[in-house]
Amino acid sequence: MERRLISNSERTTRSSIVDHFGLKLEKKKENPSHQNEVTPADPELHSHVSPVQHEEPISTYLEEKVPIPDDDVSKIFSFRKLWAFTGPGFLMSIAYLDPGNIESDLQSGAKAGYKLLWVLLGATIIGLLLQRLAARLGVVTGMHLAEVCNQYYPTTPRIILWLMVELAIIGSDMQEVIGCAIALNLLSVGRIPLWAGVLITIVDTFVFLFLDKYGLRKLEAFFGFLITVMALSFGYEYVRVGPDQGEVLKGMFVPYCSGCGPVQLQQAVGIVGAVIMPHNIYLHSALVKSREINRANKKEVKEANKYFFIEASIALFISFLINVFVVAVFAEAFYGKTNMQVSQTCNETGSPHTDLFPLNNETLQVDIYKGGIVLGCFFGPVALYIWAIGILAAGQSSTMTGTYSGQFVMEGFLNLRWSRFARVLLTRSIAILPTLLVAIFEDIQHLTGMNDFLNVLQSMQLPFALIPILTFTSLKSLMNDFSNGIVWKIGGGLIILVVCAINMYFVVVYVTALNSTILYVFSAFLSIAYLSFVLYLIWHCLVVLGVSFLNVSSCFQPPPAILLEEEEFET
C-alpha cells in the first residue's frame, strides 16, 4: 500500500492543533474503500475532511537533512554542534543585506550622518528576537509558519494571508532584481541596460538555485561566500573613506538625534521597515527544518533552539557590521554635501555622469546607483567597481533566498505538491513581469520613487507575519513546554505593536505626500479592508494570549482535518 511520509513530530504537532480547537478524529474500521480517510466525530465538520492525496516525493531545499554530531550531552557548548547548526541563520541574515537595506543605509548616512546608527542597532536586535520566534516554531513543531497557518486559519483568511505575503515577496524581489541589474550596469559602464540586467539576474538565479542538488552544505557555503564578498566590498569602502571611529560608536550607542527634523525621522522609520521584512519570518521557520532533530526528545529540541539562536545572533551581528560600513561611508563622505559640490567634483575627475546632479545647493539625494557614481567621483573608479560588486552579491543572494521564501509560502498556504522546476518557475515568474515593466519604462536614474513605494508595500505586510508568529509560538497545545512565557507574550506583543505602528506611520507619510484626492479616497477604502483583516488576526492572537472573554464559540473555525493513514494515526 502506498504510504504518505510524515514524521512522528509532525503528527504530534498537527494533532495538537486539531485538539486545541476541538476537532476530534475517529479511526475508521479497516475497509479497502476507506483506508485513507479519517472522519471527524462531529458530522458538522465533515466538510473539512477530504481524502488523502498521495504524492511522489518532491525535491526541495529541505529534502536533505544535516546530521547533528552526538557530543557529550553534559557539555554546555560544542563548536562541532554549532557548526552543524550553522547555515539557516546566515541565509536568513541575507534579507538584512538586500539592496533595499543597502539603499536605506546610504540614505541614512547622507541625510543624518552617524545619528541614526542606534536605530539600525535597535532594529537589528528586534529582528533577532522575532527571528528567534520563527526558528523555535520550526524546530519545535517540524512545520514552518505557512504550514501552520494552513492548518489553523479558515480558507478565506488563509488565502488573503497568502496573497499579502506574496505581495511582500514580490516587492522585495523587485528591489533585489533591480539592484542586481543596477550593479551590472555599473560594472559594464552602462553597456548592459536595466532590462537586460533583469533578464540576466533571473536566468542566473535559476542556475544558482539548483546548487542544492550538489548538497545542502555546498549551497549554504555559496551563500556564505556571497556574504563574504559583501563584507570585503563594503569593508574596503569603509577603510578607503576612513570614517571617524568615535562618531561611529557615539551614533551607535547614544540614542539621540540632535538637530534632526522630519527628513531624519522618516529615514529612521524607513530603517526599521527595511530591516524587519515579513517574508523573512516565514523563510527562517522553514530553513531550520533542514537539521536532523528528534522532536520527541525535549533535550534535543532545547539544544537546537539554543544553537540556532547563537547562530542567528552571529549572522545578524555580521550583517549589522556590513550595514554600519555603508552608513559610515556615506555619513563621512557625503553628509551635508550639496548637488553643486558633487557635480563639481565629478566634473573635475572626468566622470560622464555629472548630469545626475543638478547645479543647485540642495542636499545630495542618493540611491544605490548614484551612490556608486559619487564614490567613483570622490575615491576613484576602483571604489565604484567594488561598490557594484558588493551590490551584485547583495542582490543575487537575496534574490535566491526570496525565491525560497516564495516556494515555502506557496507550498505551505496552498499545499502545492509540484515538481521542483515548476515551483521555481512559478515563484520566479510572479515577479518577472512587474520587474521587467519597471526596467523597460523607468529610467535607471529615477528609481528612488519606485523603491519608496516598494518599501511602503512591504511595511504594510508586516502584521501578516508578526501577528501569526506570536500567535502560534504562544499556543500551548502546539508548542508544549516551548510556548512563550508571560514575558515573551507581553514583550513580543509590545515589540510587534511598536514595529507595526512605526511602519504604519511610514505608510501614512508616503500616502499624504501623494497630493491626490482620488488616491486619498482609494486609500481610505483600502485602509478599512486592511484594518479589518489585521483586527481579525489580532483577535485570534489575543485569545491565544489568554484574553478569554474574546473567545466567542463561533469566532474560531476548526482547522482542516489532518488526514493520516490508519496505521499512522494514533487515537
Side-chain angles (χ1 to χ4, degrees):
M1 180 175 62
E2 188 177 25
R3 297 186 57 154
R4 180 182 177 189
L5 300 178
I6 181 170
S7 66
N8 290 331
S9 57
E10 187 173 349
R11 180 191 303 120
T12 303
T13 296
R14 291 179 171 183
S15 299
S16 70
I17 301 177
V18 172
D19 293 341
H20 180 79
F21 294 99
L23 185 61
K24 305 298 183 184
L25 302 179
E26 288 180 350
K27 187 176 177 181
K28 291 182 72 74
K29 292 182 180 179
E30 186 151 357
N31 185 316
S33 63
H34 298 290
Q35 282 186 342
N36 298 319
E37 291 185 27
V38 177
T39 303
D42 186 350
E44 295 181 3
L45 301 179
H46 185 71
S47 61
H48 293 285
V49 182
S50 59
V52 174
Q53 299 296 320
H54 297 291
E55 306 92 3
E56 294 299 323
I58 57 174
S59 174
T60 178
Y61 170 90
L62 302 175
E63 190 177 58
E64 179 186 351
K65 300 288 185 180
V66 176
I68 307 300
D70 294 325
D71 284 354
D72 185 0
V73 293
S74 63
K75 293 174 65 175
I76 298 177
F77 181 80
S78 167
F79 281 104
R80 289 180 67 230
K81 285 192 174 182
L82 178 60
W83 179 248
F85 282 106
T86 297
F90 280 89
L91 268 69
M92 168 274 295
S93 71
I94 286 171
Y96 292 71
L97 296 168
D98 71 344
N101 272 286
I102 301 302
E103 182 160 314
S104 174
D105 292 337
L106 65 89
Q107 289 177 346
S108 173
K111 292 178 181 179
Y114 303 101
K115 299 174 185 177
L116 296 180
L117 280 173
W118 63 273
V119 177
L120 177 62
L121 175 61
T124 304
I125 293 173
I126 290 174
L128 174 63
L129 298 178
L130 295 173
Q131 299 298 160
R132 174 186 179 272
L133 295 181
R136 285 172 70 87
L137 180 71
V139 169
V140 174
T141 67
M143 295 191 291
H144 58 73
L145 181 55
E147 290 174 322
V148 178
C149 288
N150 181 47
Q151 301 298 330
Y152 171 77
Y153 291 116
T155 302
T156 301
R158 184 172 70 244
I159 296 300
I160 296 174
L161 196 59
W162 167 65
L163 291 173
M164 294 298 101
V165 178
E166 284 291 351
L167 278 177
I169 293 173
I170 291 171
S172 175
D173 209 19
M174 288 180 67
Q175 287 180 314
E176 293 152 2
V177 173
I178 291 292
C180 284
I182 289 174
L184 291 171
N185 181 273
L186 289 171
L187 288 170
S188 65
V189 198
R191 293 187 181 90
I192 299 179
L194 198 62
W195 62 268
V198 168
L199 292 177
I200 292 172
T201 302
I202 291 169
V203 171
D204 64 28
T205 299
F206 272 107
V207 175
F208 290 138
L209 280 171
F210 286 92
L211 282 175
D212 64 354
K213 293 178 72 68
Y214 298 98
L216 178 59
R217 296 297 271 175
K218 290 184 176 64
L219 177 70
E220 293 174 345
F222 178 69
F223 280 103
F225 167 73
L226 292 176
I227 293 174
T228 302
V229 170
M230 284 184 267
L232 293 175
S233 299
F234 300 130
Y236 168 83
E237 306 288 358
Y238 185 85
V239 173
R240 179 70 178 82
V241 173
D244 186 325
Q245 305 303 311
E247 288 297 317
V248 171
L249 293 175
K250 179 181 176 182
M252 199 180 298
F253 297 109
V254 179
Y256 183 67
C257 188
S258 62
C260 292
V263 172
Q264 288 75 24
L265 176 60
Q266 291 180 31
Q267 189 58 46
V269 171
I271 290 173
V272 177
V275 168
I276 303 173
M277 305 180 72
H279 69 275
N280 211 34
I281 303 295
Y282 288 86
L283 175 67
H284 198 196
S285 67
L287 294 176
V288 297
K289 292 171 59 179
S290 61
R291 268 49 183 178
E292 280 188 1
I293 302 167
N294 179 13
R295 293 179 175 84
N297 187 323
K298 182 177 177 180
K299 288 185 177 179
E300 283 195 27
V301 174
K302 185 176 181 179
E303 181 182 67
N305 284 330
K306 178 182 73 175
Y307 282 109
F308 274 131
F309 181 68
I310 294 172
E311 185 236 2
S313 301
I314 295 170
L316 289 189
F317 175 72
I318 293 172
S319 73
F320 172 71
L321 288 182
I322 294 173
N323 283 309
V324 168
F325 289 162
V326 178
V327 174
V329 164
F330 282 82
E332 181 69 25
F334 306 114
Y335 176 54
K337 287 283 195 304
T338 64
N339 288 319
M340 180 76 75
Q341 291 172 310
V342 174
S343 179
Q344 288 176 351
T345 302
C346 288
N347 190 47
E348 291 170 0
T349 57
S351 171
H353 302 287
T354 53
D355 58 315
L356 287 177
F357 311 102
L359 298 176
N360 58 43
N361 286 319
E362 293 182 5
T363 304
L364 175 68
Q365 300 288 329
V366 287
D367 51 33
I368 55 176
Y369 177 72
K370 292 181 181 178
I373 299 300
V374 294
L375 283 172
C377 291
F378 279 77
F379 302 102
V382 173
L384 185 154
Y385 292 127
I386 291 180
W387 169 262
I389 290 172
I391 295 298
L392 182 62
Q396 189 63 72
S397 58
S398 55
T399 300
M400 293 167 65
T401 55
T403 303
Y404 277 125
S405 298
Q407 289 185 54
F408 294 137
V409 165
M410 190 169 291
E411 290 171 10
F413 276 110
L414 304 183
N415 197 28
L416 293 182
R417 314 299 291 179
W418 293 0
S419 70
R420 176 173 176 75
F421 180 79
R423 286 178 290 120
V424 174
L425 181 63
L426 178 60
T427 51
R428 279 286 78 202
S429 300
I430 288 176
I432 286 176
L433 182 59
T435 307
L436 268 180
L437 290 175
V438 168
I440 293 171
F441 295 107
E442 189 71 63
D443 191 337
I444 193 172
Q445 302 171 10
H446 302 92
L447 290 173
T448 300
M450 184 207 71
N451 192 61
D452 289 343
F453 170 75
L454 294 176
N455 284 336
V456 167
L457 180 66
Q458 292 175 79
S459 295
M460 292 181 66
Q461 312 313 318
L462 265 177
F464 307 127
L466 303 189
I467 296 174
I469 196 63
L470 180 63
T471 300
F472 296 124
T473 53
S474 300
L475 192 58
K476 182 70 174 178
S477 60
L478 176 63
M479 299 291 287
N480 298 314
D481 293 339
F482 297 96
S483 62
N484 294 329
I486 187 66
V487 174
W488 270 99
K489 287 179 180 179
I490 296 175
L494 290 176
I495 287 173
I496 291 172
L497 179 63
V498 170
V499 170
C500 291
I502 288 173
N503 282 276
M504 287 305 102
Y505 170 81
F506 183 58
V507 172
V508 170
V509 169
Y510 178 82
V511 172
T512 53
L514 296 176
N515 294 320
S516 171
T517 303
I518 296 177
L519 290 176
Y520 289 160
V521 174
F522 176 74
S523 298
F525 282 107
L526 188 64
S527 298
I528 293 173
Y530 174 84
L531 291 174
S532 298
F533 187 58
V534 171
L535 289 174
Y536 172 84
L537 296 178
I538 292 174
W539 185 7
H540 280 244
C541 184
L542 289 176
V543 170
V544 170
L545 292 179
V547 186
S548 56
F549 72 88
L550 292 176
N551 191 11
V552 183
S553 59
S554 61
C555 82
F556 285 113
Q557 294 295 327
I562 311 303
L563 304 171
L564 306 175
E565 290 189 355
E566 283 192 88
E567 63 268 36
E568 293 174 325
F569 185 75
E570 298 176 1
T571 55

